[in-house]
């Protein structure tokens, strides 16, 4: 099943900016959770809208972002979305 899901994601295109791709990828990962192969889902470098879309499909447990003195823009939209 893992191979099938991975193949599906790759065949649909790896355009992560496409809202449909976020939905498909999280939907595919949700199947892995249901099968017991994955325990939690997380996102990396996702926008606030992507986080909301993904969380509508399956609860998102972690978000990985660069946060430093030089990149504080995520405090405006990402942090409030995650709360």
């Amino acid at each position: 099943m893992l191979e099938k899901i991975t193949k599906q994601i790759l065949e649909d295109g790896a355009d992560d900016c496409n809202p449909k791709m976020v939905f498909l990828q999280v939907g595919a990962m949700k199947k892995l959770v249901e099968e017991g192969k994955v325990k939690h889902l997380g996102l990396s470098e996702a926008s606030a809208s992507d986080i909301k879309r993904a969380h509508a499909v399956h609860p998102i447990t972690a978000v990985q972002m660069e946060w430093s003195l030089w990149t504080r823009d995520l405090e405006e939209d990402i942090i409030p979305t995650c709360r």
Side-chain angles (χ1 to χ4, degrees):
M1 183 68 171
L2 180 59
E3 293 82 15
K4 181 180 175 185
I5 292 170
T6 305
K7 184 178 178 184
Q8 176 188 356
I9 291 171
L10 294 174
E11 284 178 356
D12 288 338
D15 182 10
D16 294 333
C17 297
N18 181 347
K20 182 182 175 191
M21 273 311 298
V22 172
F23 180 79
L24 290 173
Q25 290 172 343
V26 174
M29 291 187 294
K30 177 183 176 181
K31 291 177 186 176
L32 296 175
V33 173
E34 291 168 351
E35 292 176 5
K37 295 181 178 178
V38 176
K39 204 168 195 177
H40 302 285
L41 299 184
L43 300 174
S44 178
E45 300 296 328
S47 67
S49 60
D50 286 344
I51 295 168
K52 289 175 186 175
R53 258 191 242 96
H55 191 74
V57 177
H58 189 275
I60 301 300
T61 307
V63 176
Q64 176 185 357
M65 302 286 291
E66 179 182 354
W67 191 4
S68 70
L69 293 174
W70 296 273
T71 58
R72 304 204 46 141
D73 54 331
L74 66 113
E75 293 174 359
E76 296 173 13
D77 55 353
I78 303 294
I79 300 300
T81 300
C82 291
R83 287 187 179 159

